[in-house]
Amino acid sequence: MRTPSITPVVKALMAINIIVFGVEYFGHKDMIVSVMGLHYFTSDKFLPFQFLTSIFVHADLHHLFNNMLGLFFLGPMLEMYWGDKRFLTFFLVTGMGSGLLYMGLKYYDYSTLESATRAYIEHPDLNQFSKFLYQYFPDGIPHNAYVLIEGNPNNITVQNSVLVAQECLKSVLDTPLIGASGAVFGVMAGFALLFPNTELMLFLLPIPIKAKYFVALYGLYELYAGLNKMPGDNVAHFAHIGGMIFAFILIKIWGKNRNSFY
């Protein structure tokens, strides 16, 4: 596929993401993530505008680079097809829609963890505490909870195990969703729906593959990874799927105004 010249909205979106990351990089990451990241709706850090601002915050340079790469290669064709206003609407709606789906699924996960935490607090027991940590925190307890035991698991008593359980729950509640991945996955899905037979050339797979097959396989992988999340995996796979779902819905609402595909 021949990449079109970068278009105005794509350029502006990339610039905003890069500028915000620059502010993060020069020492303001905690503040940016706390204010702009999308927190769970029962968190005292949650603000409605975070559905929008979380799209422009990234965890690290690799996270930013991958998202901007997808936007750079696929975004311009959609912007030229729809025009700047509709493309911007599409990008923002799929990005915010991915956050909405993520929040809905987190409700189930958080409710399960909250019930388990309350059950432990009512009947604390160190043997049960070990099982609790292994089941819900296989990668280790959050830093704020780790501080409570002064970095030494042998210091845990029944009394402070309750405090650690409470802090673990609060840490999950206050962990925000960040990144433009949901919107970029929306762009990918939109591209595949409008230009299904366009052949893409991937860096790691130097053979052409039609957009419809690439996005379908990628979507299946995200579904598998979301359902079978591995320890250490901090990727919000269902947020990616949410972006794809909202892309499908928007395109069906808007309707296609062309009969030929490329």
Side-chain angles (χ1 to χ4, degrees):
M1 182 191 77
R2 181 177 179 274
T3 306
S5 301
I6 187 168
T7 44
V9 172
V10 169
K11 185 185 298 184
L13 290 170
M14 292 180 66
I16 295 171
N17 276 278
I18 292 169
I19 289 170
V20 172
F21 183 77
V23 176
E24 292 181 60
Y25 183 82
F26 287 105
H28 300 282
K29 183 173 182 178
D30 290 343
M31 181 269 291
I32 291 291
V33 171
S34 178
V35 175
M36 297 178 64
L38 177 58
H39 292 82
Y40 189 59
F41 66 89
T42 60
S43 170
D44 56 9
K45 296 182 180 181
F46 169 73
L47 294 166
F49 65 71
Q50 292 169 349
F51 279 101
L52 173 62
T53 57
S54 60
I55 299 172
F56 303 100
V57 184
H58 289 83
D60 50 42
L61 186 59
H62 181 262
H63 189 202
L64 175 71
F65 178 79
N66 284 342
N67 282 335
M68 295 304 98
L69 192 67
L71 179 60
F72 174 79
F73 278 109
L74 302 180
M77 284 191 68
L78 292 182
E79 185 175 344
M80 289 191 296
Y81 177 81
W82 279 321
D84 53 2
K85 291 181 180 178
R86 178 158 287 195
F87 173 73
L88 179 60
T89 300
F90 180 83
F91 183 87
L92 296 179
V93 169
T94 54
M96 292 187 288
S98 71
L100 189 63
L101 179 64
Y102 174 81
M103 291 278 273
L105 293 173
K106 188 168 181 176
Y107 172 80
Y108 170 78
D109 291 337
Y110 182 76
S111 297
T112 302
L113 175 60
E114 185 178 35
S115 297
T117 303
R118 294 190 184 282
Y120 178 77
I121 291 172
E122 291 176 3
H123 304 285
D125 175 86
L126 290 182
N127 290 328
Q128 293 302 316
F129 184 63
S130 298
K131 295 178 181 178
F132 169 81
L133 292 181
Y134 180 78
Q135 180 176 356
Y136 293 102
F137 301 94
D139 296 326
I141 63 177
H143 175 72
N144 289 345
Y146 201 65
V147 170
L148 294 175
I149 58 173
E150 299 176 350
N152 185 356
N154 295 324
N155 286 341
I156 294 180
T157 64
V158 171
Q159 183 177 2
N160 66 12
S161 73
V162 171
L163 297 177
V164 170
Q166 291 173 328
E167 190 60 41
C168 285
L169 180 66
K170 185 176 185 301
S171 178
V172 171
L173 180 65
D174 290 340
T175 299
L177 174 71
I178 58 174
S181 301
V184 172
F185 269 79
V187 169
M188 288 170 48
F191 188 94
L193 287 166
L194 296 173
F195 311 104
N197 295 317
T198 298
E199 292 186 336
L200 306 175
M201 187 72 74
L202 308 180
F203 291 121
L204 300 179
L205 187 65
I207 57 174
I209 179 172
K210 290 184 178 180
K212 59 185 177 183
Y213 299 133
F214 169 70
V215 173
L217 290 172
Y218 209 160
L220 288 174
Y221 165 75
E222 290 296 327
L223 180 61
Y224 172 81
L227 293 173
N228 300 275
K229 201 157 189 176
M230 302 295 292
D233 183 1
N234 62 351
V235 176
H237 297 286
F238 284 110
H240 298 171
I241 294 172
M244 300 176 83
I245 291 173
F246 273 82
F248 177 83
I249 293 172
L250 266 183
I251 288 176
K252 290 303 178 183
I253 291 174
W254 289 344
K256 298 179 181 178
N257 59 5
R258 63 192 290 176
N259 297 316
S260 59
F261 300 99
Y262 297 91

